[in-house]
Amino acid sequence: MTAREEAVVAETAAEEERAGAARPAWPVGDAPPPAPAGKRPTGSPGRTGRLLRLLGVPVGRGDWRELAFALLLAPSAVLGTALIYPVLVLALPLSVTHLGLPLLAGVLTVGRRLAGVHRFLLRALLGEDIPAPPPVERGGTGAVRAALADGTGWRAVAYLLAALPLGLLLLVVAVGLRLYGLAGVLYPLWWRSVGADGHRGLSLGSLALDTWPRILAVAVAGLLLTALAGWSGRRLLVLVRYAGRALLGPSRLSDRVRDLEETRALAVQDSARTLRRIERDLHDGPQAQLTAVTMSLASARGRLEPSGPDGTVAPQDLERGRELVEQALATARTAVTQLRDLVRGIHPPVLDTGLDAALETLAARTGVPVRLRAHVPGPLPEAVATIAYFCASELLSNAARYSGAERIELTAERRDGLLTLRVHDEGQGGAVIVPGSAGGGSGLAGLAERVRTVDGRLLISSPRGGPTTVTVELPV
């Protein structure tokens, strides 16, 4: 390796180290990095806290909120069951008649309302943010039919019926067992205050618990009971969380249908915008140029027609006709160039050689030096490759125009069925998606809409002062 090559390698390594130091703490959508060795993250319990939690002692706000949830779930479940269960028992046998259907629809409506209360409890006490399902479209005589066909209402009623045994069991385990265990742990302090038949302390059948070995054994048993209550309560809360996510929120199918409806609408809007842009570009560009060509050629033909008595063309008319033909030729060339650019805007021909080559072309045309790292093996679906190309073009243009960075990094890789495109710069930052700013299909909002048409997503990390990292993920 020559001295010049060694200098280039050293400079590249220094640039990577500076870029890594200036990057944000963690990418958008990822979990925060682990705390350095020897340092405990803020809010996490230490060794003493973990030991107390293992023994069933509430430590921190989270444990107390879980205990409060265990106290509130059973009463709310009893209230919900008392409201819907009698009517449900009456409505199900009568559902074969016209009288039972409105009662059943009312049960489902009440179940939906009560599900909102349980979503609030899960969010406020357990931090489980379950989105509310969309309302039922009702109107006129179809209100009962719409309520009966509402899968969300049926799942809400199922949760309310399941919440009663879960809530009672959670109350007994997390509260009752813990209180019994706490009483056992404190038994050495109060055993003298109880007793009968001349004996102090409790008795287990004919065995009196009045000696210190037996008293300490009761305390240890209480400690084990408290630990069992804490462990069992956490397991039951996992089950409650799962039931809440599965039954209280919108179903996956409805979410998927809604997402497909939105992406279909975005695709239709993008197609309409593309057609309007093509029509506008044709009208303002090649159409105007071809009209000018037609007029120039018509004028040239008029100049080149014989006008003299001997059937000849005057020299000045011949010269003027030649000028008009040259002008028409230049205008036709301009129209061809504009048509070529318009076709490239629809589908860049460079994509026919692969996305790697297309990104190399974009990097070379950008006004700011671009460091490209692309590894996209195998052919890509045409729609995905086109979207990736236009996203890279727009992001490089924005970074070169607005960031003020002296260097841009463009990374493209295909892994595990996902094409990831990342543009990073050390500029001034502050890039955000402005809602409602995608009218022209460009900008970050326009890119986000275009990416969603193929179930992709666009992530932005751009704090004030930089750096900026924009990641585009496209499923392949």
Side-chain angles (χ1 to χ4, degrees):
M1 183 180 292
T2 64
R4 178 177 178 82
E5 291 176 345
E6 292 178 355
V8 171
V9 171
E11 181 182 358
T12 303
E15 288 178 357
E16 290 181 351
E17 184 176 356
R18 288 195 299 270
R23 282 176 183 150
W26 60 84
V28 175
D30 290 348
K39 293 185 178 181
R40 181 167 52 90
T42 303
S44 62
R47 292 182 179 179
T48 304
R50 289 195 294 269
L51 179 60
L52 292 176
R53 180 176 293 173
L54 182 63
L55 296 176
V57 179
V59 178
R61 291 183 180 179
D63 294 338
W64 287 107
R65 287 178 177 176
E66 290 180 354
L67 191 58
F69 182 84
L71 288 171
L72 293 176
L73 179 61
S76 60
V78 169
L79 176 62
T81 305
L83 289 175
I84 67 172
Y85 187 74
V87 184
L88 184 64
V89 172
L90 179 63
L92 285 177
L94 294 177
S95 60
V96 295
T97 67
H98 293 291
L99 181 61
L101 295 180
L103 290 176
L104 196 56
V107 169
L108 298 176
T109 303
V110 174
R112 258 183 168 264
R113 299 293 185 271
L114 294 176
V117 177
H118 285 269
R119 279 195 300 270
F120 172 77
L121 291 177
L122 287 168
R123 180 173 58 253
L125 298 177
L126 298 185
E128 195 71 36
D129 191 7
I130 301 175
V136 181
E137 298 292 336
R138 301 179 182 180
T141 57
V144 174
R145 183 179 301 175
L148 294 176
D150 179 28
T152 301
W154 287 103
R155 288 187 290 109
V157 171
Y159 176 85
L160 293 174
L161 295 178
L164 180 60
L166 278 176
L168 294 177
L169 184 59
L170 184 62
L171 183 64
V172 171
V173 169
V175 180
L177 282 183
R178 187 176 271 115
L179 291 178
Y180 270 104
L182 181 61
V185 172
L186 299 178
Y187 183 66
L189 301 179
W190 57 269
W191 69 278
R192 296 178 182 273
S193 61
V194 297
D197 299 332
H199 295 283
R200 290 184 177 182
L202 300 176
S203 59
L204 188 61
S206 60
L207 181 63
L209 304 176
D210 55 355
T211 63
W212 279 109
R214 296 174 182 176
I215 292 171
L216 293 178
V218 172
V220 172
L223 198 62
L224 295 177
L225 195 60
T226 306
L228 177 63
W231 182 85
S232 303
R234 287 190 292 272
R235 302 286 82 75
L236 287 174
L237 285 176
V238 171
L239 185 58
V240 172
R241 290 173 185 269
Y242 177 78
R245 288 193 298 266
L247 300 175
L248 292 181
S251 65
R252 293 183 179 180
L253 179 60
S254 62
D255 281 345
R256 183 59 178 163
V257 168
R258 190 181 308 108
D259 187 64
L260 289 176
E261 290 176 348
E262 293 177 357
T263 54
R264 182 187 63 181
L266 291 175
V268 171
Q269 293 174 6
D270 184 68
S271 299
R273 281 196 298 261
T274 302
L275 290 176
R276 287 196 299 268
R277 177 178 59 81
I278 294 173
E279 181 182 5
R280 183 179 62 252
D281 293 344
L282 286 174
H283 181 272
D284 297 339
Q287 181 178 343
Q289 301 293 340
L290 292 176
T291 302
V293 169
T294 303
M295 295 176 62
S296 297
L297 292 177
S299 300
R301 185 181 62 181
R303 291 284 185 174
L304 296 177
E305 289 181 354
S307 58
D310 53 353
T312 60
V313 180
Q316 63 273 16
D317 290 338
L318 185 61
E319 183 65 24
R320 178 58 181 164
R322 185 180 295 109
E323 293 177 357
L324 290 173
V325 171
E326 292 291 339
Q327 181 181 352
L329 181 60
T331 306
R333 289 172 178 168
T334 303
V336 170
T337 302
Q338 292 177 348
L339 282 173
R340 186 182 296 113
D341 294 339
L342 182 60
V343 171
R344 287 176 179 171
I346 300 173
H347 177 76
V350 69
L351 279 177
D352 296 335
T353 59
L355 183 61
D356 292 352
L359 294 179
E360 290 179 4
T361 304
L362 283 178
R365 290 201 313 228
T366 305
V368 178
V370 177
R371 182 180 181 183
L372 174 64
R373 287 180 292 185
H375 180 65
V376 188
L380 292 173
E382 184 176 351
V384 172
T386 303
I387 291 175
Y389 176 84
F390 283 116
C391 286
S393 177
E394 183 77 15
L395 293 175
L396 289 176
S397 177
N398 289 345
R401 187 181 305 173
Y402 302 115
S403 69
E406 298 180 355
R407 193 179 188 88
I408 304 172
E409 294 182 5
L410 173 60
T411 306
E413 60 179 350
R414 177 180 181 178
R415 184 180 301 170
D416 298 331
L418 190 69
L419 175 63
T420 303
L421 188 74
R422 185 175 294 108
V423 177
H424 176 84
D425 66 76
E426 301 290 337
Q428 60 188 1
V432 294
I433 296 180
V434 180
S437 61
S442 60
L444 293 178
L447 293 184
E449 289 188 358
R450 179 173 289 190
V451 164
R452 282 199 62 195
T453 59
V454 291
D455 288 338
R457 61 175 184 165
L458 185 142
L459 308 174
I460 299 178
S461 174
S462 182
R464 290 290 179 182
T468 296
T469 302
V470 182
T471 305
V472 177
E473 296 180 352
L474 302 172
V476 179

